[in-house]
Amino acid sequence: MTIITTIQKETILIVDDEEPVRRPLRKLLAKNGYSCLEADSASAALQRLSDTPIDLTILDIMMPQKSGIELLPEIKEQYPDTAIVMATAVVEPDIIIECMKNGAMDYIRKPFKLDTVVGNLETVLRKRQLSQTLKIFQESLKGKVAEQAAEMRQLFFGAIESLICALEAKDKYTAGHSRRVGDFTIAIARLMDIPVVELEDIRCGALLHDVGKIAINPDIQNKPGKLTEEEYKYIMTHVQIGANIVKSIANEKIVDIIRYHHTRFDGACKDQTLCGTHIPLCARIVTLADAFDAMTSERSYRKSLALEEAISEVKRCAGTQFDPAIVEVFLKIPSNDILTIMKTS
Ligand SMILES: [Fe+2]
């Protein structure tokens, strides 16, 4: 017995070129609470689908002009959320299999058995509902995971930045170094028209460039006088240590900045694996920003250079320590901006 209900349920589109086939089915579905639309051809079906959200489409296989088999992939591509049930007078397994492969969820025989067709369609609609709920759940889960990962990343970087700044603040020679390197780096990157979306990573890499120094003995790092070759090599391990610290949570750009910020453009250091423009661009920018800040800051083993002297040194090292193209950009930063960054502590 057919259950009659007044609750408005899903919308069903009946696509069939024969009006005597559509009419009784429409009547039956309407009695069962479904909202029904009809289309007598493939083009009319596409028009209905574009006008109204359709939950289920009953698609006649044999239609003049364009068959249901041809129309099926078009509907699936344009309206993937509509469930499709093929309607056919003759059950040919190959055709049914092809329709299922192309996205049909079921098929019903013509002439329709009115006592069972509603049950068949109801099953298809519940399957569709389940898969849509699952899709929404998966999407929201994906969003939440991404949101939490971004939050964790921010917290991690924030904690490292605080640690670096705290360590630097304890040492009069390095106080504010990472922040100033971050500011010089951004000043250069902006003049190079680096996309705004990339600036955050570049700034982060610049702030964290010396994170590996956490593991370096401060007595050796701040040793007055010239370092021995061994001591220099030991201090330089901070680039690899730093890259290892952040690599599980930072992206490649940030890790590259940390790993290559002491890599010379001319490849003169015998241990370096990259040189010239093979060194990642963001690392080449930080190399200059880092060295410039070091020059203009006092160190345990030497006095700071004045602005003009430091600029001459940067020019002298273009093509050797630094990428000459980046030196050229750096020289375009207004002196007042450089002086403001130099005062940051
Ligand atoms: Fe460094």
Side-chain angles (χ1 to χ4, degrees):
M1 196 180 84
T2 307
I3 301 160
I4 300 175
T5 173
T6 52
I7 300 167
Q8 186 67 58
K9 298 202 281 193
E10 285 95 339
T11 301
I12 297 178
L13 172 65
I14 306 164
V15 186
D16 199 301
D17 56 310
E18 293 174 75
E19 209 267 338
V21 172
R22 297 193 308 265
R23 198 187 331 121
L25 184 58
R26 176 177 189 155
K27 221 169 145 186
L28 174 72
L29 294 174
K31 260 189 186 174
N32 280 273
Y34 295 102
S35 169
C36 278
L37 295 170
E38 294 179 32
D40 61 3
S41 64
S43 58
L46 290 171
Q47 189 58 52
R48 294 276 180 282
L49 283 155
S50 82
D51 292 344
T52 316
I54 304 289
D55 300 298
L56 188 148
T57 302
I58 300 167
L59 190 53
D60 183 22
I61 287 185
M62 296 295 288
M63 286 192 294
Q65 290 162 351
K66 190 181 271 185
S67 75
I69 299 170
E70 291 169 284
L71 184 57
L72 169 64
E74 265 183 64
I75 296 181
K76 277 319 284 180
E77 191 180 332
Q78 291 180 50
Y79 308 98
D81 286 339
T82 186
I84 298 179
V85 172
M86 306 307 289
T88 177
V90 186
V91 178
E92 287 184 34
D94 288 351
I95 291 178
I96 298 298
I97 290 168
E98 191 192 335
C99 291
M100 294 302 198
K101 273 188 191 163
N102 285 335
M105 286 179 75
D106 204 351
Y107 72 95
I108 45 176
R109 292 281 303 271
K110 289 204 301 188
F112 303 125
K113 289 184 182 161
L114 297 181
D115 54 338
T116 57
V117 77
V118 174
N120 292 347
L121 297 178
E122 183 65 20
T123 305
V124 169
L125 282 165
R126 298 295 69 88
K127 270 194 213 165
R128 170 184 177 267
Q129 194 178 32
L130 188 67
S131 82
Q132 282 193 326
T133 308
L134 200 66
K135 204 163 115 187
I136 292 168
F137 178 68
Q138 282 170 336
E139 287 300 315
S140 83
L141 205 63
K142 239 191 268 172
K144 278 199 172 59
V145 169
E147 214 175 273
Q148 280 177 351
E151 240 170 67
M152 295 266 299
R153 191 169 170 261
Q154 276 310 108
L155 283 173
F156 176 78
F157 289 143
I160 291 191
E161 189 188 336
S162 305
L163 178 64
I164 293 168
C165 292
L167 288 172
E168 286 180 354
K170 275 169 51 183
D171 176 355
K172 68 170 180 167
Y173 299 114
T174 57
H177 171 67
S178 293
R179 285 210 176 108
R180 289 191 298 273
V181 172
D183 290 346
F184 283 130
T185 298
I186 291 298
I188 299 169
R190 284 212 174 106
L191 287 176
M192 294 182 82
D193 288 333
I194 287 178
V196 175
V197 286
E198 290 180 28
L199 293 182
E200 187 53 35
D201 283 340
I202 294 177
R203 183 174 171 75
C204 188
L207 279 169
L208 303 184
H209 73 282
D210 270 344
V211 66
K213 284 195 175 166
I214 289 169
I216 300 296
N217 182 339
D219 293 338
I220 298 180
Q221 197 178 306
N222 296 327
K223 176 187 160 183
K226 205 173 178 327
L227 295 170
T228 65
E229 202 182 319
E230 283 303 298
E231 286 167 337
Y232 180 77
K233 267 191 184 170
Y234 164 69
I235 288 179
M236 281 302 139
T237 59
H238 77 275
V239 296
Q240 193 52 52
I241 295 169
N244 291 343
I245 289 173
V246 302
K247 74 177 176 195
S248 61
I249 198 148
N251 63 31
E252 208 178 333
K253 197 165 268 153
I254 296 172
V255 177
D256 278 349
I257 289 173
I258 297 169
R259 183 176 287 134
Y260 298 113
H261 75 273
H262 284 291
T263 303
R264 288 175 62 96
F265 188 76
D266 61 3
C269 281
K270 61 176 190 286
D271 293 336
Q272 69 183 74
T273 51
L274 298 179
C275 67
T277 51
H278 294 292
I279 305 164
L281 174 67
C282 44
R284 279 179 271 145
I285 298 173
V286 175
T287 302
L288 174 49
D290 181 28
F292 183 80
D293 186 66
M295 288 175 205
T296 51
S297 306
E298 193 180 333
R299 288 288 186 260
S300 54
Y301 46 90
R302 59 149 175 79
K303 293 273 174 213
S304 62
L305 297 184
L307 176 61
E308 287 309 317
E309 292 171 305
I311 285 179
S312 301
E313 184 63 8
V314 166
K315 285 181 188 167
R316 189 182 68 79
C317 297
T320 53
Q321 186 177 355
F322 309 128
D323 177 348
I326 294 172
V327 169
E328 214 173 287
V329 175
F330 177 77
L331 296 175
K332 288 181 186 160
I333 302 174
S335 300
N336 278 346
D337 292 358
I338 294 182
L339 286 166
T340 304
I341 298 172
M342 281 166 65
K343 284 177 198 151
T344 307
S345 57

